[in-house]
Amino acid sequence: MKKPVVDYREFRLSKINDPRFSHLKLLLGWVFYFLAYFITEKFIPESTCYVIHSKLDDLIPFCEVFVIPYVFWYFLVFGSLLYFLLYNVSSFKKLMIFIIITQVTAMLIYIFFPNCQDMRPEEFTRDNIFTQSVGFLYSVDTNTNVFPSLHVAYSLAIASVWCKEKDASLLWKIFVVVAVILICLSTAFIKQHSVLDGFASLFMCLVIEIFLYRDYYLKKFKKQTSEK
Protein backbone atom coordinates (compact mmCIF):
# COMPACT_ATOMS: atom_id res chain seq x y z
CA MET A 1 0.00 0.00 0.00
CA LYS A 2 1.32 3.43 -0.95
CA LYS A 3 2.46 5.68 1.84
CA PRO A 4 0.90 9.18 1.94
CA VAL A 5 3.36 11.94 1.08
CA VAL A 6 2.14 13.97 4.05
CA ASP A 7 1.47 12.64 7.53
CA TYR A 8 -1.87 14.31 8.24
CA ARG A 9 -1.93 12.78 11.71
CA GLU A 10 0.39 15.62 12.69
CA PHE A 11 -2.01 18.27 11.41
CA ARG A 12 -3.42 20.82 13.83
CA LEU A 13 -5.40 23.91 12.89
CA SER A 14 -2.55 26.00 14.29
CA LYS A 15 -0.30 24.44 11.63
CA ILE A 16 -2.47 25.42 8.66
CA ASN A 17 0.25 27.82 7.39
CA ASP A 18 2.93 25.17 7.71
CA PRO A 19 4.26 24.36 4.18
CA ARG A 20 3.32 20.71 4.79
CA PHE A 21 -0.35 21.55 5.29
CA SER A 22 -0.96 24.95 3.67
CA HIS A 23 -2.52 23.29 0.61
CA LEU A 24 -5.47 22.30 2.81
CA LYS A 25 -6.62 25.92 2.71
CA LEU A 26 -7.70 25.29 -0.88
CA LEU A 27 -10.52 23.15 0.50
CA LEU A 28 -12.14 26.42 1.58
CA GLY A 29 -13.12 26.72 -2.08
CA TRP A 30 -15.89 24.24 -1.32
CA VAL A 31 -17.17 26.50 1.47
CA PHE A 32 -17.33 29.39 -1.00
CA TYR A 33 -19.11 27.22 -3.53
CA PHE A 34 -21.82 25.96 -1.20
CA LEU A 35 -22.45 29.47 0.16
CA ALA A 36 -22.63 30.92 -3.36
CA TYR A 37 -24.83 28.03 -4.49
CA PHE A 38 -27.26 28.65 -1.64
CA ILE A 39 -27.38 32.39 -2.33
CA THR A 40 -27.94 32.02 -6.08
CA GLU A 41 -30.56 29.30 -5.59
CA LYS A 42 -32.37 31.24 -2.86
CA PHE A 43 -32.36 34.77 -4.23
CA ILE A 44 -32.50 34.39 -8.02
CA PRO A 45 -36.09 33.46 -8.95
CA GLU A 46 -36.69 31.20 -11.93
CA SER A 47 -38.95 33.83 -13.48
CA THR A 48 -35.91 36.05 -14.09
CA CYS A 49 -33.84 33.30 -15.71
CA TYR A 50 -33.05 32.94 -19.39
CA VAL A 51 -34.04 29.50 -20.70
CA ILE A 52 -31.10 27.58 -22.15
CA HIS A 53 -32.20 25.34 -24.99
CA SER A 54 -30.90 23.91 -28.24
CA LYS A 55 -32.55 21.99 -31.06
CA LEU A 56 -30.04 19.23 -30.36
CA ASP A 57 -31.63 18.81 -26.91
CA ASP A 58 -34.88 17.78 -28.59
CA LEU A 59 -33.09 14.98 -30.44
CA ILE A 60 -31.66 13.49 -27.23
CA PRO A 61 -34.12 11.09 -25.58
CA PHE A 62 -34.58 10.87 -21.85
CA CYS A 63 -32.70 7.77 -20.68
CA GLU A 64 -32.87 7.15 -16.95
CA VAL A 65 -30.03 4.59 -16.92
CA PHE A 66 -27.62 7.48 -17.38
CA VAL A 67 -28.29 8.37 -13.76
CA ILE A 68 -25.60 5.79 -12.96
CA PRO A 69 -22.65 7.78 -14.40
CA TYR A 70 -24.32 11.00 -13.21
CA VAL A 71 -24.24 9.77 -9.60
CA PHE A 72 -20.81 8.15 -10.04
CA TRP A 73 -19.53 11.71 -10.50
CA TYR A 74 -19.80 12.29 -6.74
CA PHE A 75 -17.55 9.33 -6.04
CA LEU A 76 -15.10 10.38 -8.76
CA VAL A 77 -14.77 13.89 -7.35
CA PHE A 78 -14.33 12.72 -3.75
CA GLY A 79 -12.03 9.82 -4.65
CA SER A 80 -9.80 11.92 -6.91
CA LEU A 81 -9.40 14.71 -4.38
CA LEU A 82 -8.62 12.20 -1.65
CA TYR A 83 -6.05 10.36 -3.78
CA PHE A 84 -4.16 13.49 -4.77
CA LEU A 85 -4.41 14.89 -1.25
CA LEU A 86 -2.66 11.75 0.02
CA TYR A 87 -0.25 10.91 -2.78
CA ASN A 88 0.38 13.95 -4.99
CA VAL A 89 -0.01 17.34 -3.33
CA SER A 90 1.08 19.20 -6.46
CA SER A 91 -1.72 17.60 -8.48
CA PHE A 92 -4.14 18.22 -5.61
CA LYS A 93 -3.30 21.92 -5.78
CA LYS A 94 -3.77 21.99 -9.56
CA LEU A 95 -7.10 20.18 -9.34
CA MET A 96 -8.43 22.43 -6.57
CA ILE A 97 -7.32 25.58 -8.38
CA PHE A 98 -8.96 24.26 -11.56
CA ILE A 99 -12.18 23.59 -9.63
CA ILE A 100 -12.14 26.93 -7.81
CA ILE A 101 -11.71 28.87 -11.06
CA THR A 102 -14.66 27.00 -12.59
CA GLN A 103 -16.70 27.67 -9.45
CA VAL A 104 -16.01 31.41 -9.44
CA THR A 105 -16.58 31.74 -13.19
CA ALA A 106 -19.84 29.78 -13.07
CA MET A 107 -21.18 31.70 -10.08
CA LEU A 108 -20.47 35.04 -11.75
CA ILE A 109 -22.35 33.86 -14.83
CA TYR A 110 -25.27 32.64 -12.68
CA ILE A 111 -25.46 36.06 -10.99
CA PHE A 112 -25.11 38.29 -14.04
CA PHE A 113 -26.79 35.94 -16.52
CA PRO A 114 -29.40 33.98 -14.52
CA ASN A 115 -30.37 30.89 -16.47
CA CYS A 116 -32.42 27.72 -16.29
CA GLN A 117 -33.68 24.83 -18.42
CA ASP A 118 -37.18 23.49 -19.02
CA MET A 119 -36.50 20.01 -20.40
CA ARG A 120 -37.36 17.81 -17.44
CA PRO A 121 -40.17 15.35 -18.20
CA GLU A 122 -43.38 16.11 -16.31
CA GLU A 123 -43.81 12.42 -15.59
CA PHE A 124 -41.84 9.25 -16.22
CA THR A 125 -43.20 6.63 -18.62
CA ARG A 126 -41.43 3.91 -16.62
CA ASP A 127 -41.24 3.26 -12.90
CA ASN A 128 -37.96 1.73 -11.80
CA ILE A 129 -35.02 2.44 -9.52
CA PHE A 130 -33.41 4.66 -12.14
CA THR A 131 -36.43 6.92 -12.70
CA GLN A 132 -36.92 7.06 -8.94
CA SER A 133 -33.29 8.16 -8.57
CA VAL A 134 -33.72 10.82 -11.25
CA GLY A 135 -36.89 12.01 -9.52
CA PHE A 136 -34.95 12.35 -6.29
CA LEU A 137 -32.24 14.36 -8.05
CA TYR A 138 -34.87 16.66 -9.50
CA SER A 139 -36.29 17.21 -6.01
CA VAL A 140 -32.97 18.25 -4.45
CA ASP A 141 -31.46 20.13 -7.41
CA THR A 142 -33.45 22.85 -9.12
CA ASN A 143 -33.43 23.47 -12.86
CA THR A 144 -31.75 26.88 -12.44
CA ASN A 145 -28.06 27.81 -12.65
CA VAL A 146 -27.23 25.32 -15.36
CA PHE A 147 -25.03 27.24 -17.83
CA PRO A 148 -22.18 26.30 -17.62
CA SER A 149 -22.52 22.83 -16.12
CA LEU A 150 -20.26 22.33 -13.11
CA HIS A 151 -20.95 18.59 -13.36
CA VAL A 152 -19.17 18.67 -16.71
CA ALA A 153 -16.52 21.19 -15.66
CA TYR A 154 -15.36 19.26 -12.59
CA SER A 155 -15.28 16.05 -14.63
CA LEU A 156 -13.06 17.61 -17.29
CA ALA A 157 -10.77 19.03 -14.61
CA ILE A 158 -10.44 15.58 -13.01
CA ALA A 159 -9.71 13.91 -16.36
CA SER A 160 -7.06 16.52 -17.10
CA VAL A 161 -5.19 15.92 -13.83
CA TRP A 162 -5.45 12.13 -13.97
CA CYS A 163 -4.13 12.02 -17.55
CA LYS A 164 -0.98 13.81 -16.34
CA GLU A 165 -0.50 11.57 -13.29
CA LYS A 166 2.72 9.61 -13.79
CA ASP A 167 1.86 6.95 -11.20
CA ALA A 168 -1.51 6.16 -12.77
CA SER A 169 -1.69 3.19 -15.12
CA LEU A 170 -2.84 3.54 -18.70
CA LEU A 171 -5.83 1.32 -17.91
CA TRP A 172 -6.90 3.64 -15.08
CA LYS A 173 -6.51 6.71 -17.27
CA ILE A 174 -8.69 5.11 -19.94
CA PHE A 175 -11.27 4.26 -17.28
CA VAL A 176 -11.34 7.86 -16.03
CA VAL A 177 -11.67 9.29 -19.55
CA VAL A 178 -14.52 6.90 -20.43
CA ALA A 179 -16.22 7.64 -17.10
CA VAL A 180 -15.94 11.39 -17.69
CA ILE A 181 -17.37 11.07 -21.21
CA LEU A 182 -20.34 9.11 -19.81
CA ILE A 183 -20.81 11.64 -17.02
CA CYS A 184 -20.87 14.51 -19.51
CA LEU A 185 -23.39 12.65 -21.68
CA SER A 186 -25.50 11.80 -18.64
CA THR A 187 -26.24 15.46 -17.92
CA ALA A 188 -28.10 15.66 -21.25
CA PHE A 189 -29.71 12.20 -21.19
CA ILE A 190 -31.35 12.64 -17.78
CA LYS A 191 -32.33 16.18 -18.76
CA GLN A 192 -30.36 17.95 -16.08
CA HIS A 193 -28.59 20.13 -18.63
CA SER A 194 -28.78 21.38 -22.18
CA VAL A 195 -25.94 20.41 -24.50
CA LEU A 196 -25.16 24.13 -24.54
CA ASP A 197 -24.28 23.91 -20.84
CA GLY A 198 -21.78 21.18 -21.64
CA PHE A 199 -20.21 23.07 -24.53
CA ALA A 200 -19.89 26.17 -22.33
CA SER A 201 -18.10 24.08 -19.71
CA LEU A 202 -15.81 22.59 -22.35
CA PHE A 203 -14.81 26.05 -23.60
CA MET A 204 -14.30 27.30 -20.04
CA CYS A 205 -12.13 24.31 -19.16
CA LEU A 206 -10.02 24.67 -22.30
CA VAL A 207 -9.20 28.25 -21.31
CA ILE A 208 -8.37 27.20 -17.74
CA GLU A 209 -6.31 24.25 -19.03
CA ILE A 210 -4.12 26.60 -21.09
CA PHE A 211 -3.79 28.99 -18.14
CA LEU A 212 -2.82 26.30 -15.61
CA TYR A 213 -0.77 23.97 -17.78
CA ARG A 214 0.86 26.19 -20.39
CA ASP A 215 4.33 25.36 -18.99
CA TYR A 216 3.51 21.63 -19.05
CA TYR A 217 2.53 21.76 -22.73
CA LEU A 218 5.47 23.99 -23.65
CA LYS A 219 7.93 21.54 -22.07
CA LYS A 220 6.24 18.64 -23.82
CA PHE A 221 6.35 20.46 -27.15
CA LYS A 222 10.04 21.38 -26.72
CA LYS A 223 10.89 17.80 -25.79
CA GLN A 224 9.13 16.40 -28.86
CA THR A 225 10.79 18.99 -31.08
CA SER A 226 14.27 18.19 -29.75
CA GLU A 227 13.74 14.48 -30.33
CA LYS A 228 12.99 14.94 -34.03
Side-chain angles (χ1 to χ4, degrees):
M1 185 175 181
K2 291 180 65 174
K3 183 180 179 180
V5 294
V6 176
D7 188 353
Y8 292 104
R9 293 173 298 180
E10 298 178 5
F11 174 71
R12 303 292 184 275
L13 195 58
S14 59
K15 296 182 179 181
I16 192 65
N17 291 317
D18 187 306
R20 292 178 299 163
F21 306 115
S22 60
H23 57 279
L24 293 174
K25 291 186 286 187
L26 288 170
L27 291 172
L28 291 174
W30 291 104
V31 178
F32 157 79
Y33 167 69
F34 287 118
L35 284 174
Y37 177 82
F38 173 78
I39 292 171
T40 54
E41 287 287 308
K42 189 75 174 178
F43 298 104
I44 299 179
E46 186 178 346
S47 58
T48 65
C49 293
Y50 179 84
V51 178
I52 305 297
H53 190 80
S54 165
K55 290 183 178 180
L56 183 56
D57 295 321
D58 299 328
L59 301 176
I60 299 174
F62 172 81
C63 185
E64 68 269 22
V65 74
F66 272 93
V67 74
I68 297 174
Y70 189 90
V71 171
F72 178 71
W73 174 86
Y74 296 97
F75 297 95
L76 183 64
V77 171
F78 178 79
S80 297
L81 286 172
L82 181 61
Y83 175 89
F84 292 119
L85 184 65
L86 293 175
Y87 303 117
N88 192 331
V89 172
S90 177
S91 291
F92 171 80
K93 291 178 181 178
K94 287 285 190 181
L95 180 54
M96 276 305 308
I97 291 171
F98 204 131
I99 287 174
I100 289 171
I101 295 175
T102 64
Q103 289 172 342
V104 172
T105 304
M107 288 303 159
L108 288 174
I109 292 174
Y110 299 160
I111 292 171
F112 294 105
F113 177 60
N115 55 78
C116 66
Q117 57 97 339
D118 59 358
M119 299 179 298
R120 292 179 173 180
E122 295 183 2
E123 60 180 25
F124 300 121
T125 57
R126 294 174 292 277
D127 182 21
N128 53 51
I129 189 172
F130 303 125
T131 54
Q132 292 167 14
S133 299
V134 174
F136 174 75
L137 285 172
Y138 286 176
S139 69
V140 297
D141 190 6
T142 69
N143 62 330
T144 59
N145 300 331
V146 293
F147 178 96
S149 165
L150 286 177
H151 223 76
V152 171
Y154 293 174
S155 299
L156 295 174
I158 288 169
S160 170
V161 178
W162 271 117
C163 285
K164 300 177 184 66
E165 176 61 23
K166 293 180 180 179
D167 291 339
S169 68
L170 177 60
L171 187 62
W172 174 253
K173 291 179 181 180
I174 292 173
F175 171 80
V176 170
V177 170
V178 171
V180 165
I181 291 172
L182 290 174
I183 289 169
C184 294
L185 291 174
S186 74
T187 63
F189 276 98
I190 67 168
K191 301 302 178 180
Q192 279 287 79
H193 285 279
S194 164
V195 293
L196 296 178
D197 305 333
F199 286 134
S201 297
L202 176 60
F203 175 77
M204 176 174 66
C205 287
L206 284 174
V207 173
I208 299 171
E209 178 81 10
I210 294 170
F211 171 74
L212 283 180
Y213 291 106
R214 59 186 180 279
D215 292 338
Y216 169 85
Y217 289 112
L218 282 172
K219 288 180 181 178
K220 199 168 184 179
F221 175 75
K222 288 179 180 178
K223 183 179 179 181
Q224 292 177 344
T225 303
S226 63
E227 290 175 353
K228 290 181 178 180

